[in-house]
Amino acid sequence: MFRNSKSFSSFSVDDLEKAKAFYGGVMGLELKDDPMGILELQVAGSSPIVIYPKSNHQPATFTILNFPVQNVADVVDELEKKGVQFEHYNEPDFKTDEKGIFRGGGPVIAWFKDPAGNILSILEKT
């Protein structure tokens, strides 16, 4: 039934202008304004991701977008210069380092939030 359907992802934010500034300015991603009052996030090699305003928005408690990068530490440094703060975890089997980078098995990865509180990650390509 859905084998040939080209699906796409979407998520909400509480302030579309802040989302534009963050995803377009800080992250340097291409955005397209839609006449219906939503944003389309253009990500290379994938369907556009829809960002829509929601007055009663609740941030996702899980990672909504993952961005593969060559070197997580370099991208962490670059994003920190733009004001992005990385999440820090200190659980028995799940610890990030002083920069917020997890190196404890699996991909090297770091998490951060968009202005609406949604969780994003950068992870090293393997």
Side-chain angles (χ1 to χ4, degrees):
M1 180 184 326
F2 298 107
R3 188 171 304 207
N4 295 316
S5 176
K6 188 173 182 183
S7 64
F8 65 93
S9 181
S10 65
F11 61 91
S12 71
V13 296
D14 55 357
D15 187 318
L16 213 51
E17 290 306 313
K18 285 182 181 177
K20 282 183 191 180
F22 180 77
Y23 288 99
V26 174
M27 303 261 322
L29 296 167
E30 183 181 340
L31 296 172
K32 180 180 171 187
D33 281 304
D34 185 279
M36 293 175 28
I38 61 175
L39 291 176
E40 286 186 2
L41 182 60
Q42 309 292 316
V43 180
S46 68
S47 298
I49 299 164
V50 173
I51 303 173
Y52 60 93
K54 187 175 178 193
S55 61
N56 63 346
H57 165 76
Q58 293 292 314
T61 58
F62 50 86
T63 308
I64 63 164
L65 288 175
N66 298 284
F67 294 94
V69 297
Q70 292 293 345
N71 185 296
V72 166
D74 289 347
V75 177
V76 166
D77 290 343
E78 193 175 326
L79 288 173
E80 281 183 330
K81 288 177 188 172
K82 295 181 176 187
V84 173
Q85 296 180 0
F86 284 82
E87 298 297 297
H88 293 269
Y89 301 101
N90 189 19
E91 298 176 21
D93 295 325
F94 190 74
K95 295 181 188 308
T96 54
D97 65 17
E98 67 282 347
K99 295 182 106 181
I101 301 172
F102 176 75
R103 302 171 191 270
V108 174
I109 187 168
W111 293 269
F112 58 102
K113 293 180 179 176
D114 73 1
N118 295 312
I119 302 168
L120 314 173
S121 84
I122 51 173
L123 61 130
E124 277 185 22
K125 296 178 185 177
T126 54

